[in-house]
Amino acid sequence: MSPRRPIPLATRRRPSGLLLICLAGIAWGTIGPAVQLAHRASGLSPSLLGSYRAAAAALALLVAALVAGRLRECWVLGRANPGRAVAVGSLTAVFQFFFFLAVVWAGVSVGTVVALGLAPVLLLVLKSVRSRALPRPGALATVAVALAGLCLVSLAGAEVSTAPHPVLGILAALVSGTGFALAADAAVPLARVLDPFALTVITMVLAAVCLVPAGLVLAWVNTEPLGTTDAGSWWLVIYLGVVTMALAYGLFYAGLRTTSSANAVVATLLEPATAVLIAVLFLGDEPTPASATGFFLIIAAIATLGRAPKDPVPGVRRTSIAVPDPD
């Protein structure tokens, strides 16, 4: 009897890219409840908490890169693809900064629907323009079902009349959704040639460089407190930075290696669905028929998504540094 031959590394089953992006969406779904708790305990504005979250993520990633002996490698990889790296980092900062403004000015429900709902539509249009062909009926149906679910989950029973600046909030949400769509689209070529850890270090540090000064300046202009003595709030900031930014974006970029940006953005709609589930299970919110229907519509839309082809993506220079695939 011949000995069993080992399975080559290249043929071992790896986690689905779509699954990794769904996990990132679930992690992002905890942002709202965590920010809400930190805001109530500390009095810090959501936008400033978002800036501190970015700082915590960047610091954690830099320490991890230093410990792993990959700090110089990340620097070299970033310099090898400077245009796209800066684009992804800065667009991610735009998405996050204006999303927090939209939530404050227009309310959580409206800001979420406009920002997260705009992104898959923009990517569908962008793909159609590039291919010079109308979107496939299946793709249109998936996006339509996902957006219907998003609206039901976010707007069911929501009170939107108390929004202090609804017009400005909607404009901020439009900017945020555009930033999210373009950041995901620009990240795909980088995700195909860089390993997720290096890409996360590079782009999250660049995002933090934009977000931290912006958040501090906005808080100073609005005469808001810049700090708090509540230790629990700082632990929440650390959680937000390490889990919902450093880890979640690592999962997101790993998923983009085998998933198109359009499918990825639809999959991240698990974020509001997860937030609703957390509110029902842990915060005492009562589920409504509309929110339950929206939740299952989002799940159904994600279930129809297929895997993107693994063809090389042009326009990004490959480096001579050997970068291992993620295990």
Side-chain angles (χ1 to χ4, degrees), residues 40 88 127 195 225 260 279 285 292 295 314 324:
R40 289 176 179 175
V88 175
K127 181 179 180 180
D195 73 288
S260 69
D285 285 9
F295 179 87

Side-chain angles (χ1 to χ4, degrees), residues 69-304:
R70 299 190 59 189
L71 193 58
R72 183 179 180 277
E73 177 188 340
C74 291
W75 169 258
V76 173
L77 290 172
R79 292 190 63 183
N81 299 284
R84 287 191 179 270
V86 171
V88 175
S90 58
L91 286 169
T92 300
V94 168
F95 158 57
Q96 295 185 19
F97 182 74
F98 282 93
F99 183 76
F100 279 112
L101 288 183
V103 166
V104 172
W105 289 342
V108 175
S109 302
V110 174
T112 300
V113 167
V114 174
L116 298 187
L118 177 65
V121 175
L122 284 179
L123 287 175
L124 199 63
V125 172
L126 186 61
K127 181 179 180 180
S128 179
V129 170
R130 286 173 175 169
S131 63
R132 298 182 180 179
L134 293 176
R136 293 181 295 105
L140 287 173
T142 295
V143 171
V145 170
L147 294 183
L150 173 64
C151 291
L152 288 173
V153 162
S154 300
L155 297 179
E159 177 61 51
V160 297
S161 61
T162 57
H165 306 291
V167 176
L168 289 177
I170 291 174
L171 290 175
L174 291 173
V175 174
S176 175
T178 303
F180 183 31
L182 295 180
D185 188 64
V188 170
L190 287 178
R192 306 287 170 87
V193 295
L194 302 181
D195 73 288
F197 177 75
L199 180 55
T200 306
V201 172
I202 295 165
T203 56
M204 292 303 101
V205 169
L206 289 170
V209 168
C210 300
L211 283 170
V212 174
L216 290 172
V217 169
L218 183 63
W220 178 74
V221 170
N222 293 331
T223 64
E224 298 168 348
L226 300 179
T228 178
T229 58
D230 182 65
S233 297
W234 291 117
W235 281 113
L236 284 172
V237 167
I238 293 172
Y239 165 80
L240 287 167
V242 174
V243 175
T244 73
M245 194 164 182
L247 176 61
Y249 271 96
L251 292 170
F252 183 71
Y253 293 144
L256 283 180
R257 304 186 90 179
T258 56
T259 307
S260 69
S261 57
N263 286 352
V265 168
V266 172
T268 59
L269 293 182
L270 269 178
E271 175 184 347
T274 301
V276 168
L277 193 62
I278 291 174
V280 170
L281 295 178
F282 301 106
L283 301 181
D285 285 9
E286 291 291 334
T288 65
S291 63
T293 301
F295 179 87
F296 287 109
L297 284 176
I298 291 174
I299 300 300
I302 293 172
T304 67

